Coordinates of all heavy atoms in Angstrom, one line a residue:
M1 N 181.2 418.5 -57.4 CA 180.7 417.4 -56.5 C 179.5 416.7 -57.1 O 179.4 415.5 -57.0 CB 180.3 418.1 -55.2 CG 179.8 417.2 -54.1 SD 181.1 416.2 -53.5 CE 180.4 415.5 -52.1
K2 N 178.6 417.5 -57.8 CA 177.4 416.8 -58.4 C 177.8 415.9 -59.5 O 177.2 414.9 -59.7 CB 176.5 417.9 -58.9 CG 175.7 418.6 -57.8 CD 174.7 419.6 -58.4 CE 174.0 420.3 -57.3 NZ 173.0 421.2 -57.8
N3 N 178.9 416.3 -60.3 CA 179.3 415.4 -61.3 C 179.9 414.1 -60.8 O 179.7 413.0 -61.3 CB 180.4 416.1 -62.2 CG 179.8 417.2 -63.0 OD1 178.6 417.2 -63.3 ND2 180.6 418.2 -63.4
W4 N 180.6 414.2 -59.6 CA 181.1 413.0 -59.0 C 180.1 412.1 -58.5 O 180.1 410.9 -58.7 CB 182.0 413.5 -57.8 CG 182.8 412.4 -57.1 CD1 183.9 411.8 -57.6 CD2 182.5 411.9 -55.8 NE1 184.3 410.9 -56.6 CE2 183.5 410.9 -55.6 CE3 181.5 412.1 -54.9 CZ2 183.5 410.2 -54.4 CZ3 181.5 411.4 -53.7 CH2 182.5 410.4 -53.5
I5 N 179.0 412.6 -57.9 CA 177.9 411.8 -57.4 C 177.1 411.2 -58.6 O 176.7 410.0 -58.6 CB 176.9 412.6 -56.6 CG1 177.7 413.0 -55.3 CG2 175.7 411.8 -56.2 CD1 176.9 414.0 -54.4
T6 N 177.0 411.9 -59.7 CA 176.3 411.4 -60.9 C 177.1 410.3 -61.5 O 176.5 409.3 -61.9 CB 176.1 412.5 -61.9 OG1 175.3 413.6 -61.3 CG2 175.3 412.0 -63.1
A7 N 178.4 410.4 -61.5 CA 179.2 409.3 -62.1 C 179.1 408.1 -61.3 O 179.0 407.0 -61.8 CB 180.7 409.8 -62.2
I8 N 179.1 408.2 -60.0 CA 179.0 407.0 -59.1 C 177.6 406.3 -59.3 O 177.5 405.1 -59.4 CB 179.2 407.4 -57.6 CG1 180.7 407.7 -57.4 CG2 178.8 406.3 -56.7 CD1 181.0 408.2 -56.0
A9 N 176.6 407.2 -59.4 CA 175.2 406.6 -59.6 C 175.1 405.9 -60.9 O 174.5 404.8 -61.0 CB 174.2 407.7 -59.5
C10 N 175.7 406.4 -62.0 CA 175.6 405.8 -63.3 C 176.4 404.5 -63.3 O 176.0 403.5 -63.8 CB 176.2 406.7 -64.4 SG 175.1 408.1 -64.7
T11 N 177.6 404.5 -62.6 CA 178.4 403.2 -62.5 C 177.6 402.2 -61.8 O 177.7 401.0 -62.1 CB 179.7 403.6 -61.8 OG1 180.4 404.6 -62.6 CG2 180.6 402.3 -61.8
A12 N 176.9 402.6 -60.7 CA 176.2 401.6 -59.9 C 175.0 401.0 -60.7 O 174.8 399.8 -60.6 CB 175.6 402.3 -58.6
M13 N 174.4 401.8 -61.5 CA 173.3 401.3 -62.3 C 173.8 400.3 -63.4 O 173.2 399.3 -63.6 CB 172.6 402.5 -63.0 CG 171.8 403.4 -62.1 SD 170.5 402.6 -61.2 CE 169.3 402.6 -62.5
L14 N 175.0 400.6 -63.9 CA 175.5 399.6 -64.9 C 176.0 398.3 -64.2 O 175.9 397.3 -64.8 CB 176.7 400.3 -65.6 CG 176.4 401.4 -66.6 CD1 177.7 402.1 -67.1 CD2 175.5 400.9 -67.7
G15 N 176.4 398.5 -63.0 CA 176.9 397.3 -62.3 C 175.7 396.3 -61.9 O 176.0 395.2 -61.6
L16 N 174.5 396.8 -61.8 CA 173.4 396.0 -61.4 C 173.2 394.9 -62.4 O 172.7 393.8 -62.0 CB 172.1 396.8 -61.3 CG 172.1 397.8 -60.1 CD1 170.8 398.6 -60.1 CD2 172.2 397.0 -58.8
G17 N 173.4 395.1 -63.7 CA 173.3 394.0 -64.7 C 174.2 392.9 -64.5 O 174.0 391.8 -65.0
A18 N 175.3 393.1 -63.8 CA 176.3 392.0 -63.6 C 175.9 391.0 -62.5 O 176.6 390.0 -62.2 CB 177.6 392.6 -63.2
C19 N 174.8 391.3 -61.8 CA 174.4 390.4 -60.7 C 173.6 389.2 -61.1 O 173.2 388.4 -60.3 CB 173.5 391.2 -59.7 SG 174.4 392.6 -58.9
D20 N 173.3 389.0 -62.4 CA 172.5 387.9 -62.9 C 173.2 386.5 -62.6 O 172.5 385.6 -62.3 CB 172.3 388.0 -64.4 CG 171.3 389.1 -64.6 OD1 170.5 389.5 -63.7 OD2 171.2 389.5 -65.8
N21 N 174.5 386.4 -62.7 CA 175.2 385.1 -62.6 C 175.8 384.9 -61.2 O 176.7 384.1 -61.1 CB 176.3 385.0 -63.7 CG 175.7 385.1 -65.0 OD1 174.5 384.7 -65.3 ND2 176.4 385.6 -66.0
M22 N 175.4 385.6 -60.2 CA 176.0 385.5 -58.9 C 175.3 384.5 -58.0 O 174.1 384.2 -58.2 CB 175.9 386.8 -58.1 CG 176.7 387.9 -58.6 SD 176.6 389.4 -57.6 CE 177.9 390.3 -58.1
T23 N 176.0 383.9 -57.1 CA 175.4 383.0 -56.1 C 174.7 383.8 -55.1 O 174.9 385.1 -55.0 CB 176.5 382.1 -55.4 OG1 177.3 382.9 -54.7 CG2 177.3 381.3 -56.5
S24 N 174.0 383.2 -54.2 CA 173.3 383.9 -53.1 C 174.2 384.7 -52.2 O 174.0 385.8 -51.8 CB 172.4 382.9 -52.3 OG 171.8 383.6 -51.2
Q25 N 175.3 384.0 -51.9 CA 176.3 384.7 -51.0 C 177.0 385.9 -51.7 O 177.1 386.9 -51.1 CB 177.4 383.7 -50.5 CG 178.3 384.3 -49.5 CD 179.3 383.2 -49.0 OE1 179.4 382.1 -49.6 NE2 180.0 383.6 -48.0
Q26 N 177.3 385.7 -52.9 CA 177.9 386.8 -53.7 C 177.0 388.0 -53.8 O 177.3 389.2 -53.7 CB 178.4 386.3 -55.1 CG 179.5 385.4 -55.0 CD 179.8 384.8 -56.4 OE1 178.9 384.6 -57.2 NE2 181.1 384.4 -56.6
R27 N 175.7 387.7 -54.0 CA 174.7 388.7 -54.2 C 174.5 389.5 -52.9 O 174.4 390.7 -52.9 CB 173.3 388.1 -54.6 CG 172.3 389.1 -55.0 CD 171.0 388.4 -55.4 NE 171.3 387.3 -56.4 CZ 170.9 387.4 -57.6 NH1 170.3 388.4 -58.1 NH2 171.2 386.4 -58.5
T28 N 174.6 388.8 -51.7 CA 174.4 389.4 -50.4 C 175.6 390.3 -50.2 O 175.4 391.5 -49.7 CB 174.3 388.4 -49.3 OG1 173.2 387.6 -49.6 CG2 174.2 389.0 -48.0
V29 N 176.8 389.9 -50.5 CA 178.0 390.7 -50.3 C 177.9 391.9 -51.2 O 178.3 393.1 -50.8 CB 179.3 389.9 -50.6 CG1 180.5 390.8 -50.6 CG2 179.5 388.8 -49.5
A30 N 177.5 391.8 -52.4 CA 177.4 392.9 -53.3 C 176.4 393.9 -52.9 O 176.6 395.1 -52.9 CB 177.1 392.4 -54.7
G31 N 175.3 393.4 -52.3 CA 174.2 394.3 -51.8 C 174.7 395.1 -50.6 O 174.4 396.3 -50.5
A32 N 175.4 394.4 -49.7 CA 175.9 395.1 -48.5 C 176.9 396.1 -48.9 O 176.9 397.2 -48.4 CB 176.5 394.1 -47.6
T33 N 177.8 395.8 -49.8 CA 178.9 396.7 -50.3 C 178.2 397.9 -51.0 O 178.6 399.1 -50.7 CB 179.9 396.0 -51.2 OG1 180.4 394.9 -50.5 CG2 181.0 396.9 -51.6
G34 N 177.3 397.7 -51.9 CA 176.7 398.7 -52.6 C 175.8 399.6 -51.7 O 175.8 400.9 -51.8
G35 N 175.1 399.0 -50.7 CA 174.4 399.8 -49.8 C 175.2 400.7 -48.9 O 174.9 401.8 -48.6
A36 N 176.3 400.1 -48.4 CA 177.3 400.9 -47.6 C 177.8 402.1 -48.4 O 177.9 403.2 -47.9 CB 178.4 400.0 -47.1
A37 N 178.2 401.8 -49.6 CA 178.7 402.9 -50.5 C 177.7 404.0 -50.7 O 178.0 405.2 -50.7 CB 179.2 402.3 -51.8
A38 N 176.4 403.6 -51.0 CA 175.4 404.5 -51.2 C 175.1 405.4 -49.9 O 174.9 406.6 -50.0 CB 174.1 403.8 -51.6
G39 N 175.1 404.7 -48.8 CA 175.0 405.5 -47.5 C 176.1 406.4 -47.3 O 175.9 407.6 -46.8
L40 N 177.3 406.0 -47.5 CA 178.5 406.9 -47.3 C 178.5 408.1 -48.3 O 178.7 409.2 -47.9 CB 179.8 406.1 -47.5 CG 181.0 406.8 -47.2 CD1 181.0 407.3 -45.7 CD2 182.2 405.9 -47.4
V41 N 178.1 407.8 -49.6 CA 178.1 408.9 -50.5 C 177.0 409.9 -50.2 O 177.2 411.1 -50.3 CB 177.8 408.3 -52.0 CG1 177.5 409.4 -52.9 CG2 179.1 407.6 -52.4
T42 N 175.8 409.4 -49.7 CA 174.8 410.3 -49.3 C 175.2 411.2 -48.1 O 174.9 412.4 -48.1 CB 173.5 409.5 -48.9 OG1 173.1 408.7 -50.0 CG2 172.4 410.4 -48.5
A43 N 175.8 410.6 -47.1 CA 176.3 411.3 -46.0 C 177.3 412.4 -46.4 O 177.4 413.5 -45.9 CB 176.8 410.4 -44.9
E44 N 178.2 412.0 -47.3 CA 179.2 412.9 -47.8 C 178.6 414.0 -48.5 O 179.0 415.2 -48.4 CB 180.2 412.1 -48.7 CG 181.3 412.9 -49.2 CD 182.4 413.2 -48.2 OE1 182.6 412.4 -47.3 OE2 183.1 414.3 -48.3
A45 N 177.6 413.7 -49.4 CA 177.0 414.8 -50.1 C 176.2 415.8 -49.2 O 176.1 417.0 -49.6 CB 176.0 414.2 -51.1
L46 N 175.7 415.3 -48.1 CA 175.0 416.2 -47.2 C 175.9 416.9 -46.2 O 175.5 417.7 -45.4 CB 174.0 415.4 -46.4 CG 172.8 414.8 -47.3 CD1 171.9 413.9 -46.4 CD2 172.0 415.9 -47.9
G47 N 177.2 416.6 -46.3 CA 178.2 417.2 -45.4 C 178.1 416.8 -44.0 O 178.4 417.6 -43.1
M48 N 177.8 415.6 -43.7 CA 177.7 415.1 -42.3 C 179.0 414.8 -41.7 O 180.0 414.6 -42.4 CB 176.9 413.8 -42.3 CG 175.4 414.0 -42.8 SD 174.6 415.0 -41.7 CE 173.2 415.6 -42.7
N49 N 179.1 414.8 -40.4 CA 180.3 414.5 -39.7 C 180.6 413.0 -39.7 O 179.9 412.2 -40.2 CB 180.3 415.0 -38.3 CG 179.3 414.3 -37.4 OD1 178.8 413.2 -37.7 ND2 179.0 414.9 -36.3
S50 N 181.8 412.6 -39.2 CA 182.2 411.2 -39.3 C 181.3 410.2 -38.6 O 181.2 409.1 -39.1 CB 183.7 411.0 -38.8 OG 183.7 411.4 -37.5
N51 N 180.7 410.6 -37.5 CA 179.8 409.7 -36.9 C 178.6 409.4 -37.7 O 178.1 408.2 -37.8 CB 179.3 410.3 -35.5 CG 180.4 410.4 -34.5 OD1 181.3 409.6 -34.6 ND2 180.3 411.4 -33.6
W52 N 178.0 410.4 -38.4 CA 176.8 410.2 -39.2 C 177.2 409.4 -40.5 O 176.4 408.6 -41.0 CB 176.2 411.5 -39.6 CG 175.3 411.9 -38.5 CD1 175.5 413.0 -37.6 CD2 174.0 411.3 -38.1 NE1 174.5 413.1 -36.7 CE2 173.6 412.1 -37.0 CE3 173.3 410.3 -38.5 CZ2 172.4 411.8 -36.3 CZ3 172.1 410.0 -37.8 CH2 171.7 410.7 -36.8
R53 N 178.4 409.6 -41.0 CA 178.9 408.8 -42.1 C 179.0 407.3 -41.8 O 178.6 406.5 -42.6 CB 180.3 409.3 -42.6 CG 180.2 410.7 -43.2 CD 181.6 411.2 -43.6 NE 181.4 412.5 -44.1 CZ 182.4 413.4 -44.1 NH1 183.6 413.1 -43.7 NH2 182.2 414.6 -44.6
L54 N 179.5 407.0 -40.6 CA 179.5 405.6 -40.2 C 178.1 405.0 -40.0 O 177.9 403.9 -40.5 CB 180.3 405.5 -38.9 CG 180.3 404.1 -38.2 CD1 181.1 403.2 -39.2 CD2 181.0 404.1 -36.9
I55 N 177.2 405.8 -39.4 CA 175.9 405.3 -39.2 C 175.2 405.1 -40.5 O 174.5 404.1 -40.8 CB 175.1 406.3 -38.3 CG1 175.6 406.2 -36.9 CG2 173.6 406.0 -38.3 CD1 175.1 407.3 -36.0
S56 N 175.3 406.0 -41.5 CA 174.7 405.9 -42.8 C 175.3 404.7 -43.6 O 174.6 404.1 -44.3 CB 174.7 407.2 -43.5 OG 176.1 407.5 -43.9
A57 N 176.6 404.5 -43.5 CA 177.2 403.4 -44.2 C 176.7 402.0 -43.6 O 176.4 401.1 -44.4 CB 178.7 403.4 -44.0
L58 N 176.5 401.9 -42.3 CA 176.0 400.7 -41.7 C 174.5 400.5 -42.0 O 174.1 399.4 -42.3 CB 176.2 400.8 -40.2 CG 177.6 400.7 -39.6 CD1 177.7 400.9 -38.1 CD2 178.2 399.4 -40.0
G59 N 173.8 401.6 -42.0 CA 172.4 401.5 -42.4 C 172.2 401.1 -43.9 O 171.4 400.3 -44.2
G60 N 173.1 401.7 -44.7 CA 173.0 401.3 -46.1 C 173.4 399.9 -46.4 O 172.8 399.2 -47.2
A61 N 174.4 399.4 -45.6 CA 174.8 398.0 -45.8 C 173.7 397.1 -45.4 O 173.4 396.0 -46.0 CB 176.0 397.7 -44.9
A62 N 173.0 397.4 -44.3 CA 171.8 396.6 -43.9 C 170.7 396.6 -44.9 O 170.1 395.5 -45.2 CB 171.3 397.1 -42.5
A63 N 170.4 397.8 -45.4 CA 169.4 397.8 -46.4 C 169.8 397.1 -47.7 O 169.0 396.4 -48.3 CB 169.1 399.3 -46.7
G64 N 171.0 397.3 -48.1 CA 171.5 396.6 -49.3 C 171.5 395.1 -49.2 O 171.1 394.3 -50.1
T65 N 171.8 394.6 -48.0 CA 171.7 393.1 -47.7 C 170.2 392.6 -47.8 O 170.0 391.6 -48.4 CB 172.2 392.8 -46.3 OG1 173.6 393.2 -46.3 CG2 172.1 391.3 -46.0
M66 N 169.3 393.4 -47.3 CA 167.9 393.0 -47.3 C 167.4 393.0 -48.8 O 166.6 392.1 -49.2 CB 167.0 393.9 -46.4 CG 167.3 393.8 -45.0 SD 167.2 392.1 -44.3 CE 165.5 391.8 -44.6
V67 N 167.8 394.0 -49.5 CA 167.3 394.1 -50.9 C 167.9 392.9 -51.7 O 167.2 392.3 -52.5 CB 167.7 395.4 -51.5 CG1 167.5 395.4 -53.0 CG2 166.9 396.5 -50.9
A68 N 169.2 392.6 -51.5 CA 169.8 391.5 -52.2 C 169.1 390.1 -51.8 O 168.9 389.3 -52.7 CB 171.3 391.4 -51.9
Q69 N 168.8 389.9 -50.6 CA 168.2 388.7 -50.2 C 166.7 388.6 -50.7 O 166.3 387.5 -51.1 CB 168.2 388.6 -48.6 CG 169.5 388.3 -48.1 CD 169.6 388.3 -46.6 OE1 168.6 388.6 -45.9 NE2 170.7 387.9 -46.0
N70 N 166.0 389.7 -50.7 CA 164.7 389.7 -51.2 C 164.7 389.5 -52.7 O 163.8 388.8 -53.3 CB 163.9 391.0 -50.9 CG 163.4 390.9 -49.4 OD1 163.3 389.9 -48.8 ND2 163.1 392.1 -48.9
T71 N 165.6 390.1 -53.4 CA 165.8 389.9 -54.9 C 166.1 388.4 -55.2 O 165.5 387.8 -56.1 CB 166.9 390.8 -55.4 OG1 166.5 392.1 -55.1 CG2 167.0 390.6 -56.9
N72 N 166.9 387.8 -54.3 CA 167.2 386.4 -54.5 C 166.0 385.5 -54.3 O 165.9 384.5 -55.0 CB 168.4 386.0 -53.6 CG 168.9 384.6 -53.9 OD1 169.0 384.2 -55.0 ND2 169.4 384.0 -52.9
R73 N 165.1 385.8 -53.4 CA 164.0 385.0 -53.1 C 162.8 385.4 -54.0 O 161.8 384.8 -54.0 CB 163.5 385.2 -51.7 CG 164.4 384.7 -50.7 CD 163.9 384.8 -49.2 NE 162.5 385.3 -49.2 CZ 162.1 386.0 -48.2 NH1 162.8 386.3 -47.2 NH2 160.8 386.4 -48.2
T74 N 162.9 386.5 -54.8 CA 161.9 387.0 -55.7 C 160.6 387.3 -54.9 O 159.5 387.1 -55.3 CB 161.5 386.1 -56.9 OG1 161.0 384.9 -56.4 CG2 162.8 385.9 -57.8
V75 N 160.8 387.9 -53.7 CA 159.8 388.3 -52.8 C 159.9 389.8 -52.6 O 161.0 390.3 -52.3 CB 159.8 387.5 -51.5 CG1 158.7 388.1 -50.5 CG2 159.5 386.1 -51.7
C76 N 158.8 390.5 -52.7 CA 158.9 392.0 -52.4 C 158.1 392.3 -51.1 O 157.1 391.6 -50.8 CB 158.3 392.8 -53.6 SG 159.3 392.7 -55.1
A77 N 158.5 393.3 -50.4 CA 157.7 393.8 -49.3 C 156.9 395.0 -49.6 O 157.3 395.9 -50.3 CB 158.7 394.2 -48.2
Y78 N 155.6 394.9 -49.2 CA 154.6 396.0 -49.5 C 154.1 396.5 -48.2 O 153.7 395.8 -47.3 CB 153.5 395.4 -50.4 CG 153.9 394.9 -51.7 CD1 154.1 393.5 -51.9 CD2 154.1 395.7 -52.8 CE1 154.6 393.0 -53.1 CE2 154.5 395.2 -54.0 CZ 154.7 393.9 -54.1 OH 155.2 393.4 -55.3
A79 N 154.1 397.9 -48.1 CA 153.6 398.5 -46.9 C 152.0 398.5 -46.9 O 151.4 398.7 -47.9 CB 154.1 400.0 -46.8
R80 N 151.5 398.3 -45.7 CA 150.0 398.4 -45.6 C 149.5 399.8 -45.3 O 148.3 400.0 -45.4 CB 149.6 397.4 -44.5 CG 149.7 396.0 -44.8 CD 149.0 395.1 -43.8 NE 149.0 393.7 -44.3 CZ 149.7 392.8 -43.7 NH1 150.4 393.0 -42.6 NH2 149.7 391.5 -44.1
G81 N 150.4 400.6 -44.8 CA 150.0 402.0 -44.5 C 149.8 402.2 -43.0 O 149.7 403.4 -42.6
D82 N 149.8 401.2 -42.2 CA 149.7 401.3 -40.8 C 151.0 401.0 -40.0 O 151.0 400.8 -38.8 CB 148.5 400.4 -40.3 CG 148.8 398.9 -40.5 OD1 149.8 398.6 -41.2 OD2 148.0 398.1 -40.1
G83 N 152.1 401.0 -40.8 CA 153.4 400.7 -40.2 C 153.8 399.3 -40.3 O 154.9 398.9 -39.9
T84 N 152.9 398.4 -40.8 CA 153.3 397.0 -41.0 C 153.5 396.8 -42.5 O 153.1 397.6 -43.3 CB 152.2 396.1 -40.5 OG1 151.0 396.3 -41.1 CG2 152.0 396.3 -39.0
Y85 N 154.0 395.6 -42.8 CA 154.1 395.2 -44.2 C 153.8 393.8 -44.4 O 153.7 393.0 -43.5 CB 155.5 395.6 -44.7 CG 156.6 394.6 -44.2 CD1 157.0 393.5 -44.9 CD2 157.2 394.9 -42.9 CE1 158.0 392.7 -44.4 CE2 158.2 394.0 -42.5 CZ 158.6 392.9 -43.2 OH 159.5 392.1 -42.7
Y86 N 153.6 393.4 -45.7 CA 153.5 392.0 -46.0 C 154.3 391.6 -47.2 O 154.8 392.5 -48.0 CB 152.0 391.7 -46.3 CG 151.5 392.4 -47.6 CD1 151.4 391.7 -48.8 CD2 151.0 393.7 -47.5 CE1 151.0 392.4 -49.9 CE2 150.5 394.3 -48.7 CZ 150.5 393.6 -49.8 OH 150.0 394.3 -51.0
E87 N 154.6 390.4 -47.4 CA 155.5 389.9 -48.5 C 154.6 389.2 -49.5 O 153.7 388.5 -49.2 CB 156.6 389.0 -48.0 CG 157.6 389.7 -47.1 CD 158.7 388.7 -46.6 OE1 158.5 387.5 -46.7 OE2 159.7 389.2 -46.1
A88 N 154.9 389.5 -50.7 CA 154.2 388.8 -51.9 C 155.2 388.7 -53.0 O 156.2 389.4 -53.1 CB 153.0 389.6 -52.2
P89 N 154.9 387.8 -54.0 CA 155.8 387.7 -55.2 C 155.9 389.1 -55.9 O 155.0 389.8 -56.0 CB 155.1 386.7 -56.1 CG 154.2 385.9 -55.1 CD 153.8 386.9 -54.0
C90 N 157.1 389.3 -56.3 CA 157.4 390.6 -57.1 C 156.7 390.5 -58.4 O 156.6 389.5 -59.0 CB 158.9 390.8 -57.3 SG 159.8 391.0 -55.7
P91 N 156.2 391.7 -58.9 CA 155.6 391.7 -60.2 C 156.5 391.5 -61.4 O 157.7 391.6 -61.3 CB 155.0 393.1 -60.3 CG 155.7 393.9 -59.3 CD 156.3 393.0 -58.3

């Protein structure tokens, strides 16, 4: 099981380099798909039931979409420590 998860993680890291020539819509779809896959793999690795797998896939898709959109805008979110955040240009 650990080898399977490691293989998926390595493949995902290699796939990130292919996002340079994508349009905004393609980047959003790729982020949602990658996030959903990461959420599903995490739930599977933790041995969760089907309800939690669905929830983690949906949460991962939402997070992946946000990351893709922020990457496209070159804006990063930084936590203030009090539960709020601010946006600033990425380093």
Side-chain angles (χ1 to χ4, degrees):
M1 183 73 168
K2 288 183 181 182
N3 290 336
W4 185 73
I5 293 172
T6 303
I8 289 175
C10 290
T11 303
M13 293 298 278
L14 291 174
L16 290 176
C19 294
D20 288 341
N21 299 330
M22 289 185 167
T23 66
S24 175
Q25 185 176 12
Q26 290 171 333
R27 190 181 309 251
T28 301
V29 170
T33 304
L40 187 60
V41 167
T42 302
E44 181 74 29
L46 295 174
M48 297 295 160
N49 65 19
S50 60
N51 291 334
W52 280 107
R53 289 178 186 156
L54 176 64
I55 291 169
S56 65
L58 291 174
T65 301
M66 295 303 296
V67 168
Q69 289 175 352
N70 282 341
T71 302
N72 189 32
R73 291 184 8 208
T74 65
V75 174
C76 291
Y78 299 96
R80 289 193 174 109
D82 61 357
T84 61
Y85 72 95
Y86 66 96
E87 293 180 345
C90 294

